[in-house]
Amino acid sequence: AQRVTQPEKLLSVFKGAPVELKCNYSYSGSPELFWYVQYSRQRLQLLLRHISRESIKGFTADLNKGETSFHLKKPFAQEEDSAMYYCALRSGGGADGLTFGKGTHLIIQP
Amino acid sequence: GAVVSQHPSWVICKSGTSVKIECRSLDFQATTMFWYRQFPKQSLMLMATSNEGSKATYEQGVEKDKFLINHASLTLSTLTVTSAHPEDSSFYICSASPLTETSTDTQYFGPGTRLTVL
C-alpha cells in the first residue's frame, strides 16, 4: 500500500528564513509526487509536481528516489507563504486518485 | 482556470436521512472525478473514483451502498450519503481532471461540503 508521511504538523519560521517541508513516501512502483497548498479559507490548489521540475512562487521540490523523499524548499520565506501544505502521491495516470500526507501548517512570522 | 464547484457548501441533517452533494466542473469537461473525505485535523482520504457513464470505483473500506456516486454527465458527479449517521459527519471534497490531451493528469478541487449529522 502507498503512504505519504509529513512528519511536521506545524512549522514556524521567520520571514526571510529558509523553509523546508518534509515529505517521505512509500510506494513500490514509480510514483508521481505533488505538493498542494491550501491558503486560509480557500480550496486546495496544486503548487507543483515533480515531473514538471519547475519553481512556483519560489518553491522547489526534488524527487529523491533513494531516500523516497520529496521535500519542499524555499530559500527565503514570505508572510504570504503561510498556509497548509499537503504532499500527495499518485500511483498511476490521470485516472488515479491521490494519496495525501497529513499536511504541514506553515506559519511565517514577521 | 479550471473551476470546480460543490453544492451545498454545508448541510445539517438528522440521523437516518439521506444527503446529496453535487460536484460540477464549470468550464471544462471531466471524464473522471474523485471524492475525498477529510476529518477534522486529518488529511484527505480518497473515497472513490467516479467515471462518466460507468460505475464508481470505491477505495477499500468505503461502503458503496452507503455512499452512492452518480456521474451522469461530463460536468456533474453526485455523492449521496444514505441513512446518514453522526459518524458520517465530515468535510467532503471533490476534484476533477479535465478531458484534454495535455492536462489529463491535473486535478482541480472543489471548495468542499461540510456535512453535520445530528
Side-chain angles (χ1 to χ4, degrees):
Chain A
Q2 56 213 43
R3 188 189 307 171
V4 176
T5 303
Q6 292 180 251
E8 304 136 330
K9 284 186 179 180
L10 174 67
L11 183 63
S12 179
V13 302
F14 286 101
K15 175 183 173 182
V19 173
E20 182 178 48
L21 300 171
K22 291 185 167 50
C23 172
N24 288 90
Y25 66 90
S26 170
Y27 180 62
S28 57
S30 291
E32 294 178 71
L33 274 297
F34 304 82
W35 276 100
Y36 280 82
V37 61
Q38 187 170 29
Y39 300 103
S40 180
R41 299 181 182 278
Q42 295 187 28
R43 68 187 67 192
L44 208 60
Q45 56 185 287
L46 178 67
L47 180 62
L48 52 78
R49 47 189 165 183
H50 88 271
I51 59 173
S52 301
R53 291 182 168 271
E54 56 195 347
S55 173
I56 303 294
K57 298 184 180 183
F59 285 98
T60 59
D62 292 317
L63 178 62
N64 186 323
K65 292 187 177 180
E67 296 183 357
T68 60
S69 68
F70 189 55
H71 303 327
L72 183 68
K73 299 178 183 179
K74 183 169 183 176
F76 307 104
Q78 298 171 293
E79 288 186 67
E80 54 265 34
D81 295 329
S82 294
M84 197 73 186
Y85 291 80
Y86 294 95
C87 183
L89 176 154
R90 185 169 65 200
S91 56
D96 284 2
L98 296 167
T99 299
F100 283 90
K102 291 189 175 182
T104 298
H105 187 187
L106 177 64
I107 297 175
I108 307 301
Q109 298 188 48
Chain B
V3 178
V4 174
S5 71
Q6 283 184 241
H7 178 80
S9 55
W10 59 270
V11 57
I12 301 173
C13 69
K14 292 183 179 179
S15 185
T17 61
S18 295
V19 175
K20 181 186 283 188
I21 302 170
E22 292 185 349
C23 176
R24 291 181 186 274
S25 55
L26 298 185
D27 50 2
F28 65 96
Q29 293 182 323
T31 51
T32 305
M33 290 184 173
F34 304 90
W35 287 96
Y36 297 84
R37 187 159 81 174
Q38 185 177 32
F39 290 108
K41 298 189 178 182
Q42 293 193 30
S43 187
L44 287 81
M45 296 291 292
L46 179 66
M47 297 176 65
T49 301
S50 168
N51 295 296
E52 186 266 338
S54 63
K55 291 184 178 180
T57 303
Y58 291 82
E59 295 298 301
Q60 192 172 14
V62 178
E63 300 176 57
K64 61 180 181 180
D65 295 329
K66 172 80 172 173
F67 299 99
L68 300 179
I69 291 173
N70 184 279
H71 194 155
S73 77
L74 288 173
T75 59
L76 174 64
S77 175
T78 60
L79 169 68
T80 300
V81 183
T82 63
S83 186
H85 290 284
E87 57 266 30
D88 299 324
S89 298
S90 188
F91 196 54
Y92 293 86
I93 305 169
C94 74
S95 71
S97 290
L99 177 63
T100 65
E101 291 183 7
T102 58
S103 60
T104 54
D105 61 343
T106 302
Q107 288 190 29
Y108 295 93
F109 283 81
T113 296
R114 173 77 59 193
L115 170 63
T116 301
V117 185
L118 302 176

